[in-house]
Amino acid sequence: MARIALYKDNYADSTVVSNLFIDEYMKDANDAQLKVYFYLLRMLNAEQAISVSGIADKFNHTEKDVIRALKYWEKQQILDLDFDDNKTLVGIHLRDLSTQAAPAPQHNVLLTSGPSQMQNTPAGVSVIPAVAIPQVSAAVVPTTPQETVNPYAKPAYSLDQLREFKEREETSQLLFIAEAYIGKPLTPSEIKTILFFTDVLHFSEDLIDYLLQYCVERGKKDFKYIEKVAVNWAEEGITTPKQAQKFSTRYDRSVYSIMNSLGRSTSPTAKELEFINRWTRDYGFSTDIILEACERSSLATDKHRFEYAEGILNSWRQANVRHKADIQQMDDSFQKKKTAKPASSGSSNRFTQFTQNSYDFAALEKEILSN
């Protein structure tokens, strides 16, 4: 396993653990994740090279355990992982938890290829020699323009905003309800999602309560799924639990029918849900027309039925199909074109009067090869 560079935002000549880490992140982490993070803090200013295999040996874990722990902390947005073109881990950027920002690092631990590079080392940077990899440049966090393209886009809430939300009087009850449904304490990321429901989607506590109940009853405790359902409700203009219940009943019935007609007996995946939403919202088809396309897809193929149905419905949309009678007219027109004979050229001989046959060339080739 290649050596990796480790660097952070701020520098301190000691091992310091942020109070915010202890308050917000430590309680949800497992043993391996905590060991890896604390070890990174300890080794940040030590003049020793580190590697994934070295960390694994240190704590009697596998390298996969170490990678999983690193990716967990990256998901929690307290560090960033740098990979080369071969997808090999070459750098770890520890973020400054006091701001949750990711500016260009000012103090790095660079892993260099030899003593010759020490002469050009910037001030405030510790150099560790005899590691055979190129110098790793500082992590650059791209900035994205603040365009309000999607009114239901989830903001990147800061820790100050999260802290302010948790300190509200009404929030404690809401978080208690959420934890009761999910069956575990909420992570900071999940709390930010609850904040998104109230701040951007403007959901009431009753509606959030019903949202969580609705998803958990269907076996869905993943907050990504819950967020997708919430955005769907917001797009439909749902503001009360009664509206949500009415919409869910209608939605569940139609989605189940579509899934069933395509040979699926499970809940739709995110990709399958994307297809169904496109057919109902973007194309504006009623359920009976969608079911017709799905049944034709199921008869035509055993694989990629959603994609096949998409092709049928897209062609019907372009043909301005709105009722099943329109589909019948298209079928009749196609059949007439298929059975129409080519116009006579006026000449009549034994070649033009010859009736062509339809051959199964694959079967013919197989028969020829067997002789």
Side-chain angles (χ1 to χ4, degrees):
M1 183 66 70
R3 301 292 186 178
I4 56 180
L6 178 64
Y7 49 94
K8 64 180 290 188
D9 291 332
N10 59 347
Y11 177 87
D13 190 19
S14 61
T15 302
V16 179
V17 181
S18 167
N19 288 334
L20 185 62
F21 176 85
I22 297 173
D23 294 340
E24 301 293 343
Y25 295 96
M26 194 169 70
K27 64 182 186 304
D28 296 319
N30 61 32
D31 178 68
Q33 292 158 356
L34 290 173
K35 285 180 179 178
V36 168
Y37 183 71
F38 290 149
Y39 187 69
L40 294 180
L41 293 178
R42 168 67 183 88
M43 296 299 293
L44 183 63
N45 300 309
E47 293 187 357
Q48 299 178 27
I50 66 168
S51 66
V52 170
S53 59
I55 299 174
D57 292 340
K58 179 76 174 177
F59 300 108
N60 293 323
H61 290 307
T62 65
E63 293 185 13
K64 287 185 178 179
D65 290 335
V66 175
I67 292 295
R68 277 195 294 266
L70 291 172
K71 288 186 176 180
Y72 170 81
W73 291 124
E74 183 181 42
K75 188 176 180 181
Q76 299 301 316
Q77 300 180 355
I78 69 173
L79 60 77
D80 299 302
L81 303 178
D82 299 335
F83 295 88
D84 61 14
D85 294 337
N86 297 322
K87 297 184 179 179
T88 300
L89 180 63
V90 294
I92 303 172
H93 170 209
L94 296 180
R95 295 191 182 187
D96 184 357
L97 293 186
S98 63
T99 60
Q100 269 289 318
Q106 297 176 352
H107 300 279
N108 298 340
V109 175
L110 301 179
L111 305 185
T112 64
S113 57
S116 61
Q117 295 187 12
M118 296 179 66
Q119 299 175 355
N120 298 323
T121 303
V125 176
S126 301
V127 176
I128 303 172
V131 181
I133 64 168
Q135 177 173 318
V136 181
S137 60
V140 178
V141 180
T143 57
T144 54
Q146 300 295 324
E147 297 179 358
T148 312
V149 177
N150 180 6
Y152 303 112
K154 184 179 178 181
Y157 293 109
S158 67
L159 288 178
D160 289 337
Q161 290 174 303
L162 182 61
R163 189 180 298 109
E164 180 187 349
F165 174 66
K166 291 177 66 175
E167 290 174 355
R168 294 179 192 171
E169 224 175 278
E170 65 274 11
T171 301
S172 58
Q173 179 68 19
L174 186 58
L175 297 182
F176 176 80
I177 293 171
E179 290 177 350
Y181 279 121
I182 303 302
K184 69 176 186 65
L186 299 182
T187 65
S189 176
E190 291 168 343
I191 297 176
K192 288 179 182 179
T193 302
I194 300 290
L195 171 57
F196 167 66
F197 295 159
T198 62
D199 176 49
V200 177
L201 303 186
H202 305 294
F203 279 11
S204 64
E205 290 183 32
D206 290 341
L207 185 55
I208 295 175
D209 188 330
Y210 181 77
L211 168 69
L212 295 169
Q213 177 186 345
Y214 171 84
C215 294
V216 170
E217 285 178 351
R218 284 152 183 79
K220 302 293 185 179
K221 294 185 178 182
D222 181 11
F223 263 74
K224 290 184 179 179
Y225 179 89
I226 297 173
E227 182 178 329
K228 187 178 291 291
V229 174
V231 171
N232 184 20
W233 287 2
E235 291 173 342
E236 294 293 332
I238 292 172
T239 58
T240 65
K242 188 175 182 180
Q243 292 174 336
Q245 185 176 15
K246 184 177 180 181
F247 172 78
S248 300
T249 303
R250 175 173 55 85
Y251 176 81
D252 286 349
R253 189 183 300 117
S254 62
V255 170
Y256 173 79
S257 299
I258 293 170
M259 293 290 290
N260 191 43
S261 67
L262 288 170
R264 302 286 200 277
S265 58
T266 59
S267 298
T269 64
K271 185 65 177 177
E272 292 168 346
L273 202 56
E274 184 179 326
F275 276 116
I276 295 174
N277 288 334
R278 184 184 306 133
W279 300 338
T280 56
R281 296 180 193 163
D282 300 345
Y283 295 174
F285 285 133
S286 58
T287 304
D288 60 338
I289 292 179
I290 296 175
L291 291 177
E292 178 68 25
C294 292
E295 289 170 5
R296 297 188 182 201
S297 301
S298 297
L299 292 174
T301 181
D302 291 330
K303 298 180 178 179
H304 308 295
R305 289 180 175 176
F306 275 86
E307 289 78 4
Y308 200 98
E310 164 67 18
I312 295 175
L313 289 167
N314 190 29
S315 66
W316 288 353
R317 179 179 66 90
Q318 294 175 2
N320 200 29
V321 168
R322 284 292 170 265
H323 307 283
K324 293 192 73 172
D326 299 333
I327 301 174
Q328 186 61 48
Q329 290 179 3
M330 288 184 64
D331 290 344
D332 294 342
S333 177
F334 175 78
Q335 198 63 31
K336 287 179 182 178
K337 291 180 181 179
K338 185 178 179 180
T339 57
K341 295 181 178 180
S344 175
S345 60
S347 61
S348 177
N349 54 48
R350 62 194 180 98
F351 296 103
T352 57
Q353 292 176 350
F354 177 75
T355 303
Q356 302 214 4
N357 294 315
S358 241
Y359 293 102
D360 185 346
F361 289 97
L364 285 174
E365 182 180 5
K366 184 176 180 182
E367 183 179 352
I368 292 170
L369 292 175
S370 64
N371 292 334

